[in-house]
Amino acid sequence: MSSSASPTLPPEPAAPVYINALMFNTVGYLFSGMLIFLMQLGFALLEAGAVRAANATNITLKNTLNAALGMVCYWVSGFGLSYGGGNKFIGSSAFFLLDLESLGFTEAFAFCQLMFALTSSTIMSGSMAERTNLVSYCFAVIMLILFVYPVVVHWCWSDWGWLSQMGYIDHAGSSVVHATGGCAALLGALMVGPRIGRFGSSGQPMSLPGHSTVLVAQGALLLWVGFFAFNICSGNDFTQATILGHIAITTTLSGAFAALAVLLAVKAMQRRWSLLIALNAVLAGLVAICSGCATVPHWAAVIIGAFAGLQLLLTSHLMVRFKIDDPLDAIAVHLGGGIVGTIGSGLFAREEGLVFTGDFSQLGIQLLGILCVCSWTCAWSFLVFFALRRAGMLRVSEKAELEGLDVYTHREPSYPEFMGMRRDPDELAMRPTLFPLAEARDLNA
Amino acid sequence: MSSSASPTLPPEPAAPVYINALMFNTVGYLFSGMLIFLMQLGFALLEAGAVRAANATNITLKNTLNAALGMVCYWVSGFGLSYGGGNKFIGSSAFFLLDLESLGFTEAFAFCQLMFALTSSTIMSGSMAERTNLVSYCFAVIMLILFVYPVVVHWCWSDWGWLSQMGYIDHAGSSVVHATGGCAALLGALMVGPRIGRFGSSGQPMSLPGHSTVLVAQGALLLWVGFFAFNICSGNDFTQATILGHIAITTTLSGAFAALAVLLAVKAMQRRWSLLIALNAVLAGLVAICSGCATVPHWAAVIIGAFAGLQLLLTSHLMVRFKIDDPLDAIAVHLGGGIVGTIGSGLFAREEGLVFTVWCFDQHGFCRRLRSFAPSLVFIRQQGDFSQLGIQLLGILCVCSWTCAWSFLVFFALRRAGMLRVSEKAELEGLDVYTHREPSYPEFMGMRRDPDELAMRPTLFPLAEARDLNA
Amino acid sequence: MSSSASPTLPPEPAAPVYINALMFNTVGYLFSGMLIFLMQLGFALLEAGAVRAANATNITLKNTLNAALGMVCYWVSGFGLSYGGGNKFIGSSAFFLLDLESLGFTEAFAFCQLMFALTSSTIMSGSMAERTNLVSYCFAVIMLILFVYPVVVHWCWSDWGWLSQMGYIDHAGSSVVHATGGCAALLGALMVGPRIGRFGSSGQPMSLPGHSTVLVAQGALLLWVGFFAFNICSGNDFTQATILGHIAITTTLSGAFAALAVLLAVKAMQRRWSLLIALNAVLAGLVAICSGCATVPHWAAVIIGAFAGLQLLLTSHLMVRFKIDDPLDAIAVHLGGGIVGTIGSGLFAREEGLVFTVWCFDQHGFCRRLRSFAPSLVFIRQQGDFSQLGIQLLGILCVCSWTCAWSFLVFFALRRAGMLRVSEKAELEGLDVYTHREPSYPEFMGMRRDPDELAMRPTLFPLAEARDLNA
């Protein structure tokens, strides 16, 4: 370079500034936060692909609202209740992030933690898809991020929390994020009831396939990327090279083995290779390893992943048996996977796990923790959803559901140019809807 | 680990090497650059979803070309005119990045800045979609990235620029990136004219909805991610932890409140929950906070975001009124949002903003600046310092005038040469088949509500058919 | 902040901890690894868009399996054979990453290297799309990641490898990753044979366009982002700011010029602007610069990119001539681009490349190497050092032979066993329904131009129907 001529920006510092952990972690939180925020896109695509085309705009808006509304709620009280000092049960400062206005390090931490909160609340939108009122869903998001989720975080992740002080292992939120979201999803699906046509007149389940497997795959693969950032970021200290690398490998193994185990199981049971179930299995494996990713050895990650995958088939079957309609299998993935992961840490944690110590105390703490987290979330979810159902707000009208929410509620059909396509053109006059919701039903039957 | 056996790569260094700001910033620029480059994909999807299926290949190619051509133009003169020393008005070295060949730090900086340039020029492709000649669009990209945008950057962001030296606040480019791109988009949409069928015989607007709301949402959510990198990276110093974290929170709040404000407003006005307008509102909120993200307090980000969202509705309405056809509402999002944001910084910047220079009395009767904000203050406006607001207004005015002038020249010349717009035949048939012979969804071709129409219409997707849907 | 009240998490450390290279590189590997993993999504979308809708679920599952199975294989022996010490030819420790269990730094390195391996094996799924048995594809992935690819990595990238010790230049894997994957893709496409309907009765090629150009563009743009991480990460040392920035610029230029060169060439030859070929050209340019991204100057990146783009047209033509059916043109992109890049490094590397070892006379008559590049030089070729070019040619030859030999064995065995290809019935019906019972777009099923055909055709998407479109 001609040393004289071009004093280009930015100037290199005269005396080198060395990077300390505060700077490093700040940047680490921010980049992780962005990659975890990609998971919002992942969930939006996963859910859009898994619903019928007549409801694709609706579910996408729910995901967008989940992000926007969740950000506001987390700002208002989410961070304060989670990490704002306080007692063993609940935080009590830093509401509206007021005290942190000029503390960039903590603001960056809040940004990253916000993304975890958004992940938790978006799980509901899957299990309640295609039939839930938009306003009700907003109330559920507010309930979860404003109050329920932050309290769980305070228990399990903050220095003051009673579970945290007992040594509860939940590194990246198998229980905090996923079981919490999964419980809300379970209660929501229960209270809102199954979609019209999901169960036949004699109660037999009918297939209502989503409108695009490619979108589902796209969402799931994006979530796969996001989960790495999710787990790696969770220790909140990017200087711990030893732990970070370990997390990357355990997360890799758990997701991969979940997919392979389930693919083979489905092939054996149904004589077909199922993409959609394999994708859900990947997610279940990733959810399960969140808890122990920093503490279990590689081989245990294999076991936890495979087990989380296989429980998916069982839990999903149970949901159908109990006539709980979960279009995304979100309950099986997040609640089922979360429970498996939380217990798995109790068994396989290298220092405290049952397998390594013969000591049941850690397993007991894990069981107590997951029980309390689930009870807490279920109780509040029940209250809110019950109130909404009483108010008649929880579910859309039958007319809206049959016509498809995109046109009825939003007047924005998802694929306007592909409207009105029918196998039999004679049907056209009879059916004013864009996409025949019941038509695809006989396909997988 | 068995200490003897496996000397696996890479070896751990014997004496620890400590990381200095140069290394740290280099890596920071590169990762940010990649995430900002994701915004090219975001724009491509947003625009592809917002046009009709018969033009989806065309708009996607325009976005691809925007990236490829923009990279070349920025290499040729973009970086040199922006940051290559020079006078107050324009840079004058580092063309072709020649002087930087072995300065990885500055190369990484150029890489990151390139992505900002690409963002600026891609805005036009939205407002001019479905009717603009591909070659004309290339000329517009060349004009913008080769010359017009770098000069604006030199003014506002380089150490030598006259606006920069006056203390102009535009941290991440509400005016530099978005208003510049928005002005070019406005002139382009004006000069190329509305799409066939956009305005009825009596001038009433007709709806020509895009072919996939899911694609639009996908693009917008990806842009949402990209905007965080966009704003965080803009200070060009990743060691400033205090500022970076603040930016993340203000950006978060602005986008979120824009979406919520607009959703409620649209619900109140049109009795429906609109996904597409909400997504545009998010983008407008993010565009507006670019300027002040590092300097305004949290509550001001809320105001700026909500205001940027609501102006979207007004600006969009004005566009229709003046018969400017903007399929993406890119002008309302980027130009409107950019102006709101630039003015917002003048009002709310914590040190210099008008609001904080007002004097008040506290509970003891002492006269204090509102800057030391406390609930105990008695709000009596004594005097405010309008100078920062003046600088902001001057800056946005100069940036817009400069860009509009050059855009007018180029688009006018192209129109005169008859190159600006595709033929009517091409527009009706759809550009994908006519210009590219690559229909976007070949297997979904020829679908009609009425099979009898088939013989009459050779096009793949009936462009006019969807029109009556939202009517 | 009220200093007393809120002891928020995480606490700021009392004495500042300074970041050393080990911490920095660990985080660098992990973030790069994630961005490179995004390329798995990129390939899935690229391939899904480029096949017909009746096989979209199938190709997406193959990509998902590629990731899951590849992770397991790399864990089992991939990393061990690559970097586990050993002799010049093959590594011999760290299987199952056993020795590394508590070495986070190396685990992070393995995570990042794993993503390179996944990229290599996913190339096959493109060239063999729409007709290959899922189980066969799994065997091919296992073959490649369990054994073939790690050995190539050991040769070229580990400290012990024979090519590495000879000074072979392949910074980010033009040959290691892309030519390896491309050779397997070539052998696979050869052995599995063309799709039904790809070549007419008299051998003329027929067009079988994929079902969505938008998906293809989305995949390619995502890969474009991923390639930056791919190349930047490859040096395995994020403290080398000088090199990292240089890589970003050369990668930028190569991809951009490849796209522009090919777009113009296709416009000249076919009178149309092709999106799909332009996207493949971008990828070919990015593949080619992998090898020399750290060592060639900017202008050489331009040449390598343009050349890699143009060879795409030739290679693609040759594939058709030899009746090799490659639905994605993966062979032309990855094998062709890989070979161009490997040779390009031999020509243009700043220290060792043939071009820079030529001796010239400067204006004073002094004999100087062209390396000290200056416009005043008189260009008289005196002598050039062909040794680096020779090493490059030897390297690419050995890598290709090795991969082709093993691929031939495995695919031949699978064909003999009758497992390689799906039945004709499955192929005509579409794999999504036949193998997976998960049609990709259930609600868009049964659409026909002529409703009378419905009774006759039980398939969801008429595979042959789109054929006459581009004819």
PDB file of all heavy atoms in Angstrom, chain A residues 1 7 17 19 57 101 107 218 410 412-414 417, chain B residues 19 21 53 93 103 160 213 218 272-275 298 469:
ATOM      1  N   MET A   1       0.857  -1.197   0.000  1.00  0.00           N
ATOM      2  CA  MET A   1       0.000   0.000   0.000  1.00  0.00           C
ATOM      3  C   MET A   1       0.884   1.235   0.000  1.00  0.00           C
ATOM      4  O   MET A   1       1.867   1.321   0.726  1.00  0.00           O
ATOM      5  CB  MET A   1      -0.855  -0.007   1.281  1.00  0.00           C
ATOM      6  CG  MET A   1      -1.791   1.161   1.365  1.00  0.00           C
ATOM      7  SD  MET A   1      -2.519   1.254   3.010  1.00  0.00           S
ATOM      8  CE  MET A   1      -3.640   2.624   2.761  1.00  0.00           C
ATOM      9  N   PRO A   7      -5.598   7.511   3.405  1.00  0.00           N
ATOM     10  CA  PRO A   7      -5.918   7.299   4.822  1.00  0.00           C
ATOM     11  C   PRO A   7      -7.329   6.756   4.942  1.00  0.00           C
ATOM     12  O   PRO A   7      -8.251   7.460   5.338  1.00  0.00           O
ATOM     13  CB  PRO A   7      -5.788   8.692   5.415  1.00  0.00           C
ATOM     14  CG  PRO A   7      -6.010   9.616   4.267  1.00  0.00           C
ATOM     15  CD  PRO A   7      -5.798   8.885   2.995  1.00  0.00           C
ATOM     16  N   VAL A  17      -5.488  -2.361  21.164  1.00  0.00           N
ATOM     17  CA  VAL A  17      -6.441  -2.590  22.245  1.00  0.00           C
ATOM     18  C   VAL A  17      -6.663  -4.090  22.337  1.00  0.00           C
ATOM     19  O   VAL A  17      -6.989  -4.725  21.332  1.00  0.00           O
ATOM     20  CB  VAL A  17      -7.780  -1.886  21.931  1.00  0.00           C
ATOM     21  CG1 VAL A  17      -8.812  -2.240  22.972  1.00  0.00           C
ATOM     22  CG2 VAL A  17      -7.574  -0.403  21.799  1.00  0.00           C
ATOM     23  N   ILE A  19      -8.667  -7.424  23.579  1.00  0.00           N
ATOM     24  CA  ILE A  19     -10.080  -7.741  23.766  1.00  0.00           C
ATOM     25  C   ILE A  19     -10.256  -8.436  25.101  1.00  0.00           C
ATOM     26  O   ILE A  19      -9.603  -9.437  25.367  1.00  0.00           O
ATOM     27  CB  ILE A  19     -10.557  -8.663  22.636  1.00  0.00           C
ATOM     28  CG1 ILE A  19     -10.292  -8.021  21.283  1.00  0.00           C
ATOM     29  CG2 ILE A  19     -12.028  -9.001  22.789  1.00  0.00           C
ATOM     30  CD1 ILE A  19     -10.885  -6.671  21.113  1.00  0.00           C
ATOM     31  N   THR A  57     -51.347 -17.838   5.534  1.00  0.00           N
ATOM     32  CA  THR A  57     -51.144 -16.441   5.930  1.00  0.00           C
ATOM     33  C   THR A  57     -51.379 -16.285   7.423  1.00  0.00           C
ATOM     34  O   THR A  57     -50.621 -15.598   8.115  1.00  0.00           O
ATOM     35  CB  THR A  57     -52.118 -15.526   5.161  1.00  0.00           C
ATOM     36  OG1 THR A  57     -51.818 -15.622   3.769  1.00  0.00           O
ATOM     37  CG2 THR A  57     -51.980 -14.092   5.610  1.00  0.00           C
ATOM     38  N   GLU A 101     -30.058   1.009  30.740  1.00  0.00           N
ATOM     39  CA  GLU A 101     -30.041   1.855  29.549  1.00  0.00           C
ATOM     40  C   GLU A 101     -28.642   2.094  28.991  1.00  0.00           C
ATOM     41  O   GLU A 101     -28.459   2.173  27.795  1.00  0.00           O
ATOM     42  CB  GLU A 101     -30.728   3.186  29.873  1.00  0.00           C
ATOM     43  CG  GLU A 101     -30.830   4.162  28.736  1.00  0.00           C
ATOM     44  CD  GLU A 101     -32.064   3.929  27.894  1.00  0.00           C
ATOM     45  OE1 GLU A 101     -33.152   3.651  28.461  1.00  0.00           O
ATOM     46  OE2 GLU A 101     -31.946   4.020  26.677  1.00  0.00           O
ATOM     47  N   GLU A 107     -27.426  -5.191  28.163  1.00  0.00           N
ATOM     48  CA  GLU A 107     -28.424  -5.081  27.098  1.00  0.00           C
ATOM     49  C   GLU A 107     -28.255  -6.180  26.063  1.00  0.00           C
ATOM     50  O   GLU A 107     -29.225  -6.776  25.576  1.00  0.00           O
ATOM     51  CB  GLU A 107     -28.323  -3.706  26.427  1.00  0.00           C
ATOM     52  CG  GLU A 107     -28.945  -2.577  27.227  1.00  0.00           C
ATOM     53  CD  GLU A 107     -28.708  -1.227  26.582  1.00  0.00           C
ATOM     54  OE1 GLU A 107     -27.526  -0.847  26.394  1.00  0.00           O
ATOM     55  OE2 GLU A 107     -29.677  -0.544  26.269  1.00  0.00           O
ATOM     56  N   GLN A 218     -37.607 -26.921   5.001  1.00  0.00           N
ATOM     57  CA  GLN A 218     -36.850 -25.686   5.073  1.00  0.00           C
ATOM     58  C   GLN A 218     -36.848 -25.136   6.491  1.00  0.00           C
ATOM     59  O   GLN A 218     -35.812 -24.737   7.023  1.00  0.00           O
ATOM     60  CB  GLN A 218     -37.500 -24.697   4.109  1.00  0.00           C
ATOM     61  CG  GLN A 218     -36.725 -23.453   3.913  1.00  0.00           C
ATOM     62  CD  GLN A 218     -37.357 -22.601   2.851  1.00  0.00           C
ATOM     63  OE1 GLN A 218     -38.287 -23.027   2.174  1.00  0.00           O
ATOM     64  NE2 GLN A 218     -36.862 -21.405   2.683  1.00  0.00           N
ATOM     65  N   HIS A 410     -58.097 -12.361   7.167  1.00  0.00           N
ATOM     66  CA  HIS A 410     -57.034 -11.473   6.707  1.00  0.00           C
ATOM     67  C   HIS A 410     -57.293 -10.894   5.313  1.00  0.00           C
ATOM     68  O   HIS A 410     -56.668  -9.925   4.935  1.00  0.00           O
ATOM     69  CB  HIS A 410     -55.706 -12.222   6.686  1.00  0.00           C
ATOM     70  CG  HIS A 410     -55.426 -12.954   7.955  1.00  0.00           C
ATOM     71  ND1 HIS A 410     -55.067 -12.311   9.101  1.00  0.00           N
ATOM     72  CD2 HIS A 410     -55.479 -14.261   8.277  1.00  0.00           C
ATOM     73  CE1 HIS A 410     -54.908 -13.206  10.068  1.00  0.00           C
ATOM     74  NE2 HIS A 410     -55.162 -14.389   9.594  1.00  0.00           N
ATOM     75  N   GLU A 412     -56.207 -12.039   2.755  1.00  0.00           N
ATOM     76  CA  GLU A 412     -54.931 -12.180   2.056  1.00  0.00           C
ATOM     77  C   GLU A 412     -54.667 -13.657   1.796  1.00  0.00           C
ATOM     78  O   GLU A 412     -53.934 -14.299   2.542  1.00  0.00           O
ATOM     79  CB  GLU A 412     -53.786 -11.587   2.898  1.00  0.00           C
ATOM     80  CG  GLU A 412     -53.738 -10.084   2.862  1.00  0.00           C
ATOM     81  CD  GLU A 412     -52.734  -9.503   3.849  1.00  0.00           C
ATOM     82  OE1 GLU A 412     -52.230 -10.243   4.704  1.00  0.00           O
ATOM     83  OE2 GLU A 412     -52.474  -8.306   3.755  1.00  0.00           O
ATOM     84  N   PRO A 413     -55.271 -14.208   0.754  1.00  0.00           N
ATOM     85  CA  PRO A 413     -55.029 -15.627   0.469  1.00  0.00           C
ATOM     86  C   PRO A 413     -53.550 -15.856   0.229  1.00  0.00           C
ATOM     87  O   PRO A 413     -52.849 -15.007  -0.324  1.00  0.00           O
ATOM     88  CB  PRO A 413     -55.842 -15.879  -0.795  1.00  0.00           C
ATOM     89  CG  PRO A 413     -56.016 -14.544  -1.403  1.00  0.00           C
ATOM     90  CD  PRO A 413     -56.085 -13.573  -0.269  1.00  0.00           C
ATOM     91  N   SER A 414     -53.068 -17.003   0.664  1.00  0.00           N
ATOM     92  CA  SER A 414     -51.629 -17.226   0.617  1.00  0.00           C
ATOM     93  C   SER A 414     -51.105 -17.343  -0.805  1.00  0.00           C
ATOM     94  O   SER A 414     -50.013 -16.900  -1.101  1.00  0.00           O
ATOM     95  CB  SER A 414     -51.263 -18.460   1.437  1.00  0.00           C
ATOM     96  OG  SER A 414     -52.111 -19.528   1.124  1.00  0.00           O
ATOM     97  N   GLU A 417     -52.966 -16.789  -6.990  1.00  0.00           N
ATOM     98  CA  GLU A 417     -53.083 -17.231  -8.380  1.00  0.00           C
ATOM     99  C   GLU A 417     -53.374 -18.703  -8.509  1.00  0.00           C
ATOM    100  O   GLU A 417     -53.673 -19.188  -9.587  1.00  0.00           O
ATOM    101  CB  GLU A 417     -51.801 -16.888  -9.128  1.00  0.00           C
ATOM    102  CG  GLU A 417     -51.612 -15.397  -9.213  1.00  0.00           C
ATOM    103  CD  GLU A 417     -50.324 -15.037  -9.899  1.00  0.00           C
ATOM    104  OE1 GLU A 417     -50.062 -15.590 -10.959  1.00  0.00           O
ATOM    105  OE2 GLU A 417     -49.592 -14.201  -9.355  1.00  0.00           O
TER     106      GLU A 417
ATOM    107  N   ILE B  19      -5.879 -11.470  21.623  1.00  0.00           N
ATOM    108  CA  ILE B  19      -6.613 -10.906  20.493  1.00  0.00           C
ATOM    109  C   ILE B  19      -6.649  -9.399  20.641  1.00  0.00           C
ATOM    110  O   ILE B  19      -7.072  -8.890  21.681  1.00  0.00           O
ATOM    111  CB  ILE B  19      -8.041 -11.469  20.479  1.00  0.00           C
ATOM    112  CG1 ILE B  19      -8.006 -12.988  20.447  1.00  0.00           C
ATOM    113  CG2 ILE B  19      -8.827 -10.918  19.313  1.00  0.00           C
ATOM    114  CD1 ILE B  19      -7.226 -13.563  19.310  1.00  0.00           C
ATOM    115  N   ALA B  21      -7.790  -5.478  18.909  1.00  0.00           N
ATOM    116  CA  ALA B  21      -8.992  -4.937  18.274  1.00  0.00           C
ATOM    117  C   ALA B  21      -8.978  -5.140  16.776  1.00  0.00           C
ATOM    118  O   ALA B  21     -10.026  -5.326  16.156  1.00  0.00           O
ATOM    119  CB  ALA B  21      -9.121  -3.448  18.603  1.00  0.00           C
ATOM    120  N   ALA B  53     -46.815 -14.687 -10.215  1.00  0.00           N
ATOM    121  CA  ALA B  53     -45.944 -15.835 -10.513  1.00  0.00           C
ATOM    122  C   ALA B  53     -45.327 -15.739 -11.900  1.00  0.00           C
ATOM    123  O   ALA B  53     -44.269 -16.303 -12.150  1.00  0.00           O
ATOM    124  CB  ALA B  53     -46.743 -17.130 -10.383  1.00  0.00           C
ATOM    125  N   SER B  93      -9.167   7.720  -3.838  1.00  0.00           N
ATOM    126  CA  SER B  93      -8.119   6.702  -3.971  1.00  0.00           C
ATOM    127  C   SER B  93      -8.733   5.337  -3.712  1.00  0.00           C
ATOM    128  O   SER B  93      -9.939   5.221  -3.538  1.00  0.00           O
ATOM    129  CB  SER B  93      -6.987   6.969  -2.980  1.00  0.00           C
ATOM    130  OG  SER B  93      -7.428   6.769  -1.661  1.00  0.00           O
ATOM    131  N   LEU B 103      -3.954  -5.507   2.846  1.00  0.00           N
ATOM    132  CA  LEU B 103      -4.431  -4.986   4.126  1.00  0.00           C
ATOM    133  C   LEU B 103      -5.738  -5.665   4.491  1.00  0.00           C
ATOM    134  O   LEU B 103      -6.817  -5.125   4.239  1.00  0.00           O
ATOM    135  CB  LEU B 103      -4.669  -3.486   4.028  1.00  0.00           C
ATOM    136  CG  LEU B 103      -3.438  -2.602   4.173  1.00  0.00           C
ATOM    137  CD1 LEU B 103      -3.828  -1.168   3.961  1.00  0.00           C
ATOM    138  CD2 LEU B 103      -2.844  -2.795   5.560  1.00  0.00           C
ATOM    139  N   TRP B 160     -13.908  12.491   6.341  1.00  0.00           N
ATOM    140  CA  TRP B 160     -13.694  13.721   5.588  1.00  0.00           C
ATOM    141  C   TRP B 160     -14.988  14.410   5.179  1.00  0.00           C
ATOM    142  O   TRP B 160     -14.979  15.541   4.748  1.00  0.00           O
ATOM    143  CB  TRP B 160     -12.888  13.421   4.331  1.00  0.00           C
ATOM    144  CG  TRP B 160     -11.615  12.723   4.620  1.00  0.00           C
ATOM    145  CD1 TRP B 160     -10.419  13.304   4.879  1.00  0.00           C
ATOM    146  CD2 TRP B 160     -11.408  11.324   4.706  1.00  0.00           C
ATOM    147  NE1 TRP B 160      -9.478  12.356   5.114  1.00  0.00           N
ATOM    148  CE2 TRP B 160     -10.049  11.130   5.026  1.00  0.00           C
ATOM    149  CE3 TRP B 160     -12.225  10.198   4.564  1.00  0.00           C
ATOM    150  CZ2 TRP B 160      -9.512   9.864   5.180  1.00  0.00           C
ATOM    151  CZ3 TRP B 160     -11.693   8.952   4.715  1.00  0.00           C
ATOM    152  CH2 TRP B 160     -10.347   8.779   5.024  1.00  0.00           C
ATOM    153  N   THR B 213     -47.941 -15.107  -0.090  1.00  0.00           N
ATOM    154  CA  THR B 213     -47.689 -14.386   1.164  1.00  0.00           C
ATOM    155  C   THR B 213     -46.612 -15.073   1.988  1.00  0.00           C
ATOM    156  O   THR B 213     -45.912 -14.425   2.759  1.00  0.00           O
ATOM    157  CB  THR B 213     -48.969 -14.313   2.021  1.00  0.00           C
ATOM    158  OG1 THR B 213     -49.377 -15.631   2.363  1.00  0.00           O
ATOM    159  CG2 THR B 213     -50.085 -13.611   1.291  1.00  0.00           C
ATOM    160  N   GLN B 218     -41.349 -14.856   4.582  1.00  0.00           N
ATOM    161  CA  GLN B 218     -40.014 -15.439   4.705  1.00  0.00           C
ATOM    162  C   GLN B 218     -38.950 -14.377   4.445  1.00  0.00           C
ATOM    163  O   GLN B 218     -37.974 -14.259   5.196  1.00  0.00           O
ATOM    164  CB  GLN B 218     -39.910 -16.556   3.680  1.00  0.00           C
ATOM    165  CG  GLN B 218     -38.692 -17.386   3.819  1.00  0.00           C
ATOM    166  CD  GLN B 218     -38.736 -18.562   2.884  1.00  0.00           C
ATOM    167  OE1 GLN B 218     -39.759 -18.812   2.222  1.00  0.00           O
ATOM    168  NE2 GLN B 218     -37.657 -19.294   2.815  1.00  0.00           N
ATOM    169  N   ARG B 272     -59.555  -5.979   9.394  1.00  0.00           N
ATOM    170  CA  ARG B 272     -58.874  -7.238   9.112  1.00  0.00           C
ATOM    171  C   ARG B 272     -57.464  -7.153   9.680  1.00  0.00           C
ATOM    172  O   ARG B 272     -56.936  -6.068   9.915  1.00  0.00           O
ATOM    173  CB  ARG B 272     -58.817  -7.522   7.612  1.00  0.00           C
ATOM    174  CG  ARG B 272     -57.936  -6.539   6.866  1.00  0.00           C
ATOM    175  CD  ARG B 272     -57.995  -6.767   5.370  1.00  0.00           C
ATOM    176  NE  ARG B 272     -57.110  -5.860   4.683  1.00  0.00           N
ATOM    177  CZ  ARG B 272     -55.984  -6.239   4.071  1.00  0.00           C
ATOM    178  NH1 ARG B 272     -55.635  -7.493   4.022  1.00  0.00           N
ATOM    179  NH2 ARG B 272     -55.216  -5.344   3.483  1.00  0.00           N
ATOM    180  N   TRP B 273     -56.887  -8.314   9.907  1.00  0.00           N
ATOM    181  CA  TRP B 273     -55.503  -8.384  10.345  1.00  0.00           C
ATOM    182  C   TRP B 273     -54.664  -8.616   9.108  1.00  0.00           C
ATOM    183  O   TRP B 273     -54.749  -9.682   8.508  1.00  0.00           O
ATOM    184  CB  TRP B 273     -55.298  -9.532  11.328  1.00  0.00           C
ATOM    185  CG  TRP B 273     -56.126  -9.446  12.563  1.00  0.00           C
ATOM    186  CD1 TRP B 273     -57.230 -10.170  12.849  1.00  0.00           C
ATOM    187  CD2 TRP B 273     -55.903  -8.597  13.692  1.00  0.00           C
ATOM    188  NE1 TRP B 273     -57.719  -9.838  14.090  1.00  0.00           N
ATOM    189  CE2 TRP B 273     -56.917  -8.874  14.635  1.00  0.00           C
ATOM    190  CE3 TRP B 273     -54.949  -7.631  14.006  1.00  0.00           C
ATOM    191  CZ2 TRP B 273     -57.010  -8.219  15.859  1.00  0.00           C
ATOM    192  CZ3 TRP B 273     -55.032  -6.979  15.216  1.00  0.00           C
ATOM    193  CH2 TRP B 273     -56.042  -7.264  16.133  1.00  0.00           C
ATOM    194  N   SER B 274     -53.845  -7.666   8.741  1.00  0.00           N
ATOM    195  CA  SER B 274     -53.094  -7.807   7.506  1.00  0.00           C
ATOM    196  C   SER B 274     -51.662  -8.245   7.778  1.00  0.00           C
ATOM    197  O   SER B 274     -50.893  -7.550   8.443  1.00  0.00           O
ATOM    198  CB  SER B 274     -53.084  -6.490   6.745  1.00  0.00           C
ATOM    199  OG  SER B 274     -52.181  -6.581   5.679  1.00  0.00           O
ATOM    200  N   LEU B 275     -51.304  -9.389   7.237  1.00  0.00           N
ATOM    201  CA  LEU B 275     -49.927  -9.862   7.359  1.00  0.00           C
ATOM    202  C   LEU B 275     -48.978  -8.990   6.553  1.00  0.00           C
ATOM    203  O   LEU B 275     -47.926  -8.559   7.034  1.00  0.00           O
ATOM    204  CB  LEU B 275     -49.841 -11.314   6.877  1.00  0.00           C
ATOM    205  CG  LEU B 275     -48.428 -11.876   6.710  1.00  0.00           C
ATOM    206  CD1 LEU B 275     -47.737 -12.026   8.043  1.00  0.00           C
ATOM    207  CD2 LEU B 275     -48.469 -13.222   5.992  1.00  0.00           C
ATOM    208  N   HIS B 298     -34.257   4.054  24.895  1.00  0.00           N
ATOM    209  CA  HIS B 298     -35.213   3.005  24.547  1.00  0.00           C
ATOM    210  C   HIS B 298     -36.585   3.565  24.206  1.00  0.00           C
ATOM    211  O   HIS B 298     -37.189   3.182  23.208  1.00  0.00           O
ATOM    212  CB  HIS B 298     -35.358   2.019  25.712  1.00  0.00           C
ATOM    213  CG  HIS B 298     -34.129   1.229  25.993  1.00  0.00           C
ATOM    214  ND1 HIS B 298     -33.944   0.507  27.138  1.00  0.00           N
ATOM    215  CD2 HIS B 298     -32.998   1.050  25.286  1.00  0.00           C
ATOM    216  CE1 HIS B 298     -32.772  -0.099  27.124  1.00  0.00           C
ATOM    217  NE2 HIS B 298     -32.171   0.229  26.016  1.00  0.00           N
ATOM    218  N   LEU B 469     -59.965 -10.550  -6.749  1.00  0.00           N
ATOM    219  CA  LEU B 469     -59.998 -11.219  -5.453  1.00  0.00           C
ATOM    220  C   LEU B 469     -60.150 -10.254  -4.290  1.00  0.00           C
ATOM    221  O   LEU B 469     -61.051 -10.379  -3.466  1.00  0.00           O
ATOM    222  CB  LEU B 469     -58.695 -11.994  -5.278  1.00  0.00           C
ATOM    223  CG  LEU B 469     -58.688 -12.819  -4.018  1.00  0.00           C
ATOM    224  CD1 LEU B 469     -59.548 -14.020  -4.195  1.00  0.00           C
ATOM    225  CD2 LEU B 469     -57.280 -13.201  -3.675  1.00  0.00           C
TER     226      LEU B 469
END
